[in-house]
C-alpha cells in the first residue's frame, strides 16, 4: 500500500483537530443551552405553582375544590402550554386541564422531562398545601416541544459546523502543507537533477527554512564530496589513459619503423631493448595502480608485527646511503619508537618518501628522519633541505600522477607520480595520517600513526 | 632438469617455454588443468610452474593433488590475481613461490633457479671465483688479479650474490631483496648506484669487465670475450 503523502497526512491531522475542537465546543454549548432552558422552565413552573396555590387556597377536599374550578380554568387559560392535574390525598384525580394527559402513574416531586411520540414536557409535582401530609397534589406539565426543536436544530447545526470546518481545514491544511513543503520539493528536484555529469548543482542553503537548513547543508556537503571523488576518479582515468598513451605510442611507432625494412642485428636488439624499457615502465604503472585500487577498496590489510621504527629507519637509510653519498646529501635519524604494523608496507611507504626527499635535496643538503613517541601515537617526520614547496601545491602532492615538477618528462622510466599516493594509502591503511609542510629552505613530510591496539 | 609449465594463455606459455628452454631447462607445456595434473603426477619434474586460473582444474587443485600424492616437487604459481588471501591460500596449500603478472622474465628465471637450487644442498664453499676475481668467504676478502680490494659489507654481499649466481641475469628487485632485505617494488636507482660503485672497485682498473648490465633486465656477472 502506498504511504500517505506528507501534505495529505498533515491535512488529515488538521481536519481531525478542527473536528475535535468544534465538536467539543458544540457539545459544551448545547449542554449550556439545555441547562439554561431547564432553569427557565423551573422558574416558570415555580411561579405557576405559587399562583395556583393561592388560587386554590383552602380546597382541601373535592367539594371545596369544585367551587374553585372556574377560577382555576381562568388562571390556566393564560398559559396554553401548561397542563395541570390535581389529585386528592387518596390519589383520586380531581381535575385534568386537558383530556388524555400523558402522565405516568407516580411522579416524583422534582422537575424532570417526559417525552412521548410528538411532544416533550417538563413535569413538576408538588403538594397543594406544603407541610400538610393530607394535602391534594398538583402536577404541572409544561410543553417544551419548541425548546427541544430548537436544541435539535442546534445539534444539527453543530454537526454541520464540525463537518464543514473539518473539510475546510483539510483543504486549507493541504494547501498550507504543500506550500510549506515547497523547499523539500526543490530539494528533490535538485536530487533528481544530479547525475555524474552534473554534480555541481547545490541547494540554496540560505533560502531554506531553519528545519531544512541542516538537511540542505548535509545534502550539499554530500554532493561536494561526491563531486570531489568523482573529479578525482575521472581525472585518474584520464591520467591513466594519458600515461599509458605515451609509452604505447612509442612502442607502436618504434616497432613499426623497425619492421619497415631489413636491419642489422644490432638495430633489432636496440629496438627490443627500448621496447622493454617502455614495457617495464608500463608494468610498474599497472602494478602501482592495482595497489592503489586495492587500497581504495579497503583490501590493503596490514599485518601487525611489532616493529622497532629506529631499526627500520636505519635499514632504509643504509639502503639509501649509497644513493645519498652519490648526490652528496647526508642522512640522519633521531629518536625511536615502537609500533605494530606491516613491515614491508611501511618500508615501502618510507622508502618512497626518502627517495622523494633525496631527489629534491640539493648537493650538500640533509635528509633527516625523526621519530617521536606521543601519547596514543607516534610521529614520524622526514625532512629535507631544499627550495621548499609552494603552499598551494602542498595538498595536491598526494594526488595520483601529481608531479611537483611539471618539466619532468612524461613516461620517463623513473616515476609515474604514484609514489606519494601509495605512501598515503599505506599510512591510511594503518589508521594514520600524512601531510606535508614546507617553508623557506625545508620540506617535511609528517606521518602520525596511532599505536593503540 | 625437466620443468612443467601449465598455462592456458598460448602466447604466455610459448614465451615462457622459449625463455626457459634457452636458459638451459628442458620444459614441457600444457594448456589445461586436467592434462597438467596428469603430467604433474606421472612425470618426473624438477619444478612445476602453474597458472591459477586454468580450464579443467585450477592451479590450486593441481597443487593439492600433487601434495596429496606425496610429491614434494617445488611449485611456482603465476597469477594475475594479487589478493593477499590468494597468496596466503597458495602458500598454505604448499606452493613454494608466487609471481604476480605482469612480471619480468628475469625475475621468474631468478626464482626458478632459486627453487631448483633449494633442492640440491650447495656444498659449503670457502671461496668463490670468476676469472681472476676471487672472493674468500672465510676471511671475507676480495682479490682481483692478486690485488686485494677493500669492499664495504654491503658491497661484499652484493658481489657474493653475483658470484654465486654468475651467468644469471639478476633483476634489481631481486638484488634489493637479497642484499638489503627490501621486498617491495621500488623504482629507486639505489641498485644502479651500488653496482656502479662496485664496478669502480672491481672492474674499472681491469681490461676484461665482469659486471655487465642487461638493459631492462638487470645485471649479470660473467666473463665475456673481449
Amino acid at each position: 500500500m502506498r504511504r500517505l503523502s506528507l501534505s495529505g497526512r498533515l491535512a488529515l491531522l488538521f481536519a481531525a483537530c478542527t473536528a475535535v475542537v468544534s465538536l467539543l465546543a458544540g457539545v459544551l454549548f448545547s449542554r449550556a443551552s439545555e441547562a439554561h432552558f431547564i432553569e427557565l422552565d423551573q422558574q416558570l413552573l415555580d411561579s405557576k405553582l405559587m399562583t395556583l396555590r393561592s388560587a386554590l387556597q383552602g380546597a382541601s377536599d373535592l367539594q371545596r375544590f369544585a367551587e374553585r374550578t372556574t377560577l382555576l380554568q381562568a388562571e390556566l387559560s393564560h398559559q396554553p402550554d401548561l397542563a395541570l392535574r390535581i389529585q386528592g390525598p387518596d390519589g383520586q384525580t380531581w381535575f385534568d386541564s386537558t383530556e388524555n394527559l400523558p402522565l405516568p402513574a407516580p411522579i416524583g416531586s422534582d422537575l424532570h422531562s417526559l417525552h412521548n411520540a410528538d411532544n416533550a414536557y417538563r413535569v413538576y409535582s408538588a403538594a397543594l398545601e406544603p407541610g400538610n401530609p393530607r394535602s391534594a397534589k398538583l402536577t404541572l406539565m409544561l410543553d417544551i416541544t419548541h425548546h427541544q426543536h430548537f436544541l435539535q436544530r442546534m445539534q444539527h447545526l453543530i454537526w454541520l459546523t464540525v463537518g464543514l470546518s473539518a473539510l475546510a481545514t483539510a483543504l486549507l491544511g493541504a494547501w498550507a502543507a504543500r506550500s510549506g513543503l515547497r523547499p523539500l520539493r526543490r530539494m528533490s528536484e535538485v536530487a533528481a537533477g544530479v547525475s555524474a555529469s552534473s554534480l555541481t548543482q547545490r541547494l540554496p542553503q540560505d533560502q531554506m527554512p531553519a528545519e531544512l537548513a541542516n538537511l540542505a547543508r548535509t545534502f550539499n556537503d554530500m554532493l561536494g564530496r561526491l563531486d570531489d571523488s568523482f573529479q578525482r576518479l575521472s581525472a585518474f582515468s584520464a591520467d591513466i589513459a594519458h600515461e599509458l598513451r605515451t609509452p604505447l605510442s612509442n612502442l607502436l611507432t618504434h616497432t613499426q619503423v623497425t619492421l619497415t625494412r631489413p636491419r642489422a642485428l644490432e638495430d633489432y636488439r636496440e629496438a627490443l631493448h627500448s621496447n622493454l624499457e617502455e614495457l617495464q615502465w608500463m608494468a610498474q604503472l599497472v602494478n602501482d595502480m592495482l595497489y592503489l585500487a586495492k587500497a581504495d577498496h579497503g583490501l590493503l590489510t596490514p599485518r601487525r608485527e611489532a616493529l622497532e621504527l629506529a631499526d627500520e629507519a636505519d635499514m632504509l637509510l643504509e639502503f639509501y646511503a649509497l644513493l645519498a653519498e652519490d648526490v652528496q646529501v647526508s642522512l640522519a635519524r633521531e629518536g625511536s619508537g615502537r609500533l605494530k604494523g606491516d613491515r614491508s608496507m611501511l618500508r615501502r611507504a618510507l622508502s618512497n618518501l626518502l627517495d622523494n626527499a633525496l631527489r629534491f635535496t640539493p648537493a650538500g643538503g640533509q635528509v633527516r628522519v625523526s621519530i617521536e613517541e606521543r601519547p596514543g601515537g607516534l610521529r614520524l617526520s622526514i625532512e629535507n633541505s631544499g627550495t621548499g614547496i609552494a603552499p598551494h601545491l602542498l595538498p595536491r602532492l598526494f594526488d595520483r600522477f601529481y608531479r611537483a615538477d611539471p618539466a619532468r618528462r612524461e613516461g620517463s622510466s623513473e616515476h609515474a607520480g604514484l609514489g606519494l599516493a601509495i605512501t598515503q594509502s599505506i599510512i591510511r591503511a594503518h589508521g594514520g595520517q600524512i601531510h606535508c609542510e614546507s617553508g623557506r629552505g625545508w620540506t617535511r613530510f609528517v606521518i602520525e600513526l596511532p599505536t593503540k591496539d | 632438469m625437466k620443468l612443467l609449465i601449465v598455462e592456458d594463455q598460448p602466447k604466455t606459455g610459448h614465451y615462457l617455454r622459449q625463455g626457459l628452454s634457452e636458459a638451459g631447462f628442458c620444459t614441457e607445456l600444457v594448456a589445461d588443468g586436467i592434462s597438467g595434473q596428469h603430467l604433474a603426477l606421472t612425470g618426473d619434474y624438477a619444478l612445476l610452474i602453474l597458472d591459477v586460473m586454468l580450464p579443467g582444474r585450477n592451479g590450486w587443485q593441481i597443487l593439492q593433488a600433487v601434495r596429496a600424492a606425496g610429491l614434494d616437487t617445488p611449485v611456482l604459481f603465476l597469477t594475475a590475481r594479487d589478493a593477499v588471501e590468494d597468496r596466503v591460500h597458495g602458500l598454505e596449500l604448499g606452493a613454494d613461490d608466487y609471481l604476480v603478472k605482469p612480471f619480468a622474465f628475469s625475475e621468474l628465471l631468478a626464482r626458478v633457479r632459486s627453487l631448483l637450487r633449494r633442492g640440491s644442498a650447495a656444498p659449503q664453499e670457502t671461496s668463490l671465483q670468476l676469472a681472476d676475481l676471487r672472493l674468500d668467504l672465510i676471511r671475507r676478502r676480495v682479490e682481483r688479479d692478486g690485488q686485494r680490494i677493500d669492499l664495504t659489507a654491503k658491497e661484499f654481499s652484493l658481489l657474493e650474490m653475483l658470484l654465486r649466481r654468475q651467468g644469471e641475469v639478476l633483476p634489481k628487485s631481486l638484488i634489493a631483496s637479497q642484499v638489503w632485505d627490501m621486498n617491495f617494488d621500488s623504482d629507486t636507482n639505489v641498485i644502479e648506484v651500488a653496482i656502479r660503485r662496485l664496478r669502480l672497485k672491481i672492474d674499472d682498473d681491469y681490461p676484461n669487465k665482469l659486471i655487465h648490465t642487461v638493459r631492462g633486465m638487470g645485471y649479470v656477472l660473467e666473463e665475456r670475450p673481449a
Side-chain angles (χ1 to χ4, degrees):
Chain A
M1 193 183 112
R2 201 157 158 260
R3 304 279 310 228
L4 211 51
S5 79
L6 210 52
S7 18
R9 218 179 280 211
L10 284 172
L12 281 185
L13 278 173
F14 286 149
C17 290
T18 320
V20 168
V21 168
S22 51
L23 192 64
L24 273 176
V27 166
L28 281 177
F29 182 69
S30 102
R31 281 273 168 87
S33 10
E34 196 164 0
H36 179 64
F37 281 129
I38 289 174
E39 203 183 314
L40 284 181
D41 293 346
Q42 176 89 58
Q43 277 171 10
L44 183 70
L45 287 170
D46 277 345
S47 75
K48 280 296 152 197
L49 187 63
M50 298 271 276
T51 325
L52 287 172
R53 271 181 182 154
S54 64
L56 296 174
Q57 191 100 46
S60 54
D61 54 35
L62 186 56
Q63 205 166 2
R64 267 183 252 176
F65 173 75
E67 292 163 9
R68 289 175 171 88
T69 312
T70 330
L71 190 62
L72 183 64
Q73 296 283 15
E75 192 63 45
L76 283 175
S77 63
H78 296 308
Q79 196 77 37
D81 54 353
L82 188 72
L84 174 67
R85 165 176 289 183
I86 302 176
Q87 287 166 303
D90 50 358
Q92 190 197 352
T93 303
W94 289 354
F95 175 82
D96 266 356
S97 63
T98 48
E99 283 168 30
N100 302 323
L101 272 184
L103 266 181
I107 292 291
S109 61
D110 51 341
L111 186 76
H112 60 269
S113 302
L114 183 74
H115 299 263
N116 65 12
D118 305 320
N119 298 314
Y121 301 93
R122 204 74 80 191
V123 185
Y124 190 42
S125 296
L128 183 61
E129 298 162 66
N132 180 1
R134 300 256 332 133
S135 155
K137 194 171 147 201
L138 292 173
T139 303
L140 290 157
M141 279 179 81
L142 187 64
D143 188 336
I144 54 160
T145 311
H146 63 286
H147 287 172
Q148 291 299 325
H149 281 166
F150 172 74
L151 281 176
Q152 263 164 19
R153 270 206 312 282
M154 276 279 291
Q155 262 165 19
H156 289 153
L157 209 62
I158 287 168
W159 282 116
L160 194 67
T161 315
V162 168
L164 282 178
S165 60
L167 190 66
T169 38
L171 292 173
L172 284 171
W175 172 80
R178 276 179 73 80
S179 54
L181 293 176
R182 196 169 298 139
L184 266 187
R185 264 204 308 286
R186 198 177 317 152
M187 207 177 258
S188 105
E189 277 159 19
V190 172
V194 167
S195 73
S197 51
S198 69
L199 280 167
T200 46
Q201 228 179 330
R202 293 288 183 277
L203 287 173
Q205 220 164 292
D206 307 334
Q207 296 165 29
M208 287 285 165
E211 292 87 342
L212 288 180
N214 206 18
L215 181 60
R217 192 168 48 247
T218 320
F219 187 78
N220 281 347
D221 287 352
M222 181 194 78
L223 281 179
R225 285 194 302 274
L226 274 179
D227 193 21
D228 190 48
S229 310
F230 194 78
Q231 294 291 342
R232 278 168 197 259
L233 198 64
S234 32
F236 188 42
S237 317
D239 284 342
I240 291 172
H242 185 74
E243 295 284 333
L244 287 175
R245 195 168 54 183
T246 314
L248 272 175
S249 105
N250 286 350
L251 280 171
L252 276 171
T253 323
H254 199 172
T255 309
Q256 282 168 349
V257 168
T258 310
L259 290 174
T260 43
R261 67 164 77 143
R263 287 170 197 281
L265 187 61
E266 198 47 45
D267 293 345
Y268 287 121
R269 189 171 290 150
E270 172 54 35
L272 281 174
H273 272 306
S274 155
N275 285 356
L276 184 60
E277 278 164 7
E278 300 286 359
L279 287 168
Q280 266 175 340
W281 187 85
M282 283 164 68
Q284 181 69 46
L285 178 69
V286 169
N287 281 337
D288 285 355
M289 284 189 317
L290 279 175
Y291 195 85
L292 284 171
K294 280 203 294 181
D296 288 345
H297 288 93
L299 294 173
L300 275 194
T301 38
R303 285 186 294 173
R304 305 188 64 77
E305 310 158 75
L307 301 178
E308 185 65 69
L309 274 186
D311 294 348
E312 295 303 318
D314 286 348
M315 279 203 67
L316 280 163
L317 291 184
E318 189 186 2
F319 182 59
Y320 280 102
L322 286 175
L323 188 58
E325 208 176 298
D326 209 50
V327 293
Q328 293 164 44
V329 170
S330 67
L331 296 175
R333 186 265 304 168
E334 61 193 29
S336 63
R338 286 166 183 282
L339 178 75
K340 278 200 172 145
D342 191 299
R343 186 189 307 267
S344 72
M345 278 168 76
L346 285 174
R347 274 189 187 174
R348 180 172 186 175
L350 296 185
S351 144
N352 285 342
L353 291 176
L354 281 172
D355 199 51
N356 198 60
L358 280 172
R359 272 185 291 130
F360 292 102
T361 312
Q366 196 192 32
V367 174
R368 194 170 59 233
V369 179
S370 357
I371 307 161
E372 201 183 323
E373 272 180 312
R374 305 186 148 203
L378 211 144
R379 184 185 158 103
L380 199 153
S381 50
I382 293 179
E383 184 179 335
N384 67 287
S385 53
T387 47
I389 301 171
H392 69 280
L393 296 179
L394 289 178
R396 294 209 52 205
L397 284 182
F398 298 97
D399 285 0
R400 290 154 195 204
F401 296 116
Y402 182 75
R403 295 184 182 94
D405 174 11
R408 185 167 299 127
R409 187 174 74 89
E410 276 170 14
S412 83
S413 62
E414 280 192 345
H415 299 274
L418 291 175
L420 288 179
I422 286 178
T423 297
Q424 188 181 41
S425 296
I426 291 174
I427 299 303
R428 285 190 177 162
H430 280 80
Q433 287 296 329
I434 181 168
H435 68 271
C436 179
E437 19 193 82
S438 186
R440 186 178 286 276
W442 57 272
T443 302
R444 186 190 301 132
F445 284 89
V446 180
I447 298 174
E448 321 237 16
L449 285 164
T451 46
K452 60 173 174 15
D453 281 316
Chain B
M1 286 275 198
K2 211 160 58 147
L3 310 186
L4 176 66
I5 306 167
V6 190
E7 166 65 68
D8 61 327
Q9 274 184 301
K11 232 175 162 174
T12 313
H14 175 73
Y15 288 125
L16 281 179
R17 184 178 188 176
Q18 186 185 358
L20 288 167
S21 302
E22 285 172 7
F25 299 104
C26 173
T27 54
E28 233 169 295
L29 170 70
V30 287
D32 69 292
I34 292 164
S35 34
Q37 181 172 329
H38 176 72
L39 283 179
L41 290 173
T42 52
D44 178 28
Y45 295 101
L47 175 73
L48 307 179
I49 299 176
L50 304 180
D51 191 12
V52 173
M53 308 295 279
L54 286 170
R57 294 177 73 69
N58 69 33
W60 291 329
Q61 289 170 318
I62 298 179
L63 171 63
Q64 269 176 313
V66 167
R67 293 290 179 258
L71 296 171
D72 59 354
T73 322
V75 172
L76 171 69
F77 267 111
L78 302 179
T79 177
R81 301 167 71 166
D82 185 23
V84 180
E85 300 86 75
D86 277 9
R87 199 175 291 232
V88 171
H89 188 54
L91 294 176
E92 268 173 2
L93 289 175
D96 298 272
D97 210 345
Y98 204 100
L99 264 181
V100 178
K101 295 174 185 171
F103 53 82
F105 184 74
S106 49
E107 181 82 36
L108 173 76
L109 199 56
R111 299 223 194 176
V112 164
R113 288 195 167 119
S114 298
L115 285 176
L116 291 175
R117 196 172 292 125
R118 198 189 289 174
S120 57
Q124 278 297 318
E125 289 144 327
T126 56
S127 69
L128 301 163
Q129 193 160 1
L130 175 70
D132 52 357
L133 174 69
R134 197 168 164 279
L135 182 139
D136 188 328
L137 285 166
I138 295 167
R139 287 188 293 165
R140 300 195 72 78
R141 274 168 63 162
V142 177
E143 283 175 6
R144 178 136 198 213
D145 198 16
Q147 296 280 310
R148 173 139 176 216
I149 299 169
D150 281 324
L151 294 183
T152 65
K154 286 294 169 195
E155 284 167 345
F156 189 89
S157 308
L158 177 57
L159 184 60
E160 180 186 341
M161 181 188 181
L162 287 166
L163 270 167
R164 280 190 190 280
R165 310 184 71 155
Q166 49 187 271
E168 290 179 33
V169 180
L170 302 177
K172 284 197 268 184
S173 58
L174 187 75
I175 296 175
S177 147
Q178 299 271 308
V179 179
W180 281 273
D181 195 23
M182 294 290 149
N183 299 299
F184 51 83
D185 282 344
S186 164
D187 46 11
T188 175
N189 37 13
V190 169
I191 307 299
E192 283 164 38
V193 176
I195 292 282
R196 190 166 78 232
R197 295 171 71 100
L198 186 62
R199 269 186 177 144
L200 190 73
K201 290 184 177 173
I202 69 162
D203 261 354
D204 276 15
D205 298 338
Y206 302 89
N208 66 330
K209 312 294 183 200
L210 298 178
I211 301 176
H212 305 278
T213 306
V214 185
R215 265 179 73 190
M217 292 206 269
Y219 302 96
V220 61
L221 187 80
E222 65 188 0
E223 214 178 352
R224 287 184 177 172

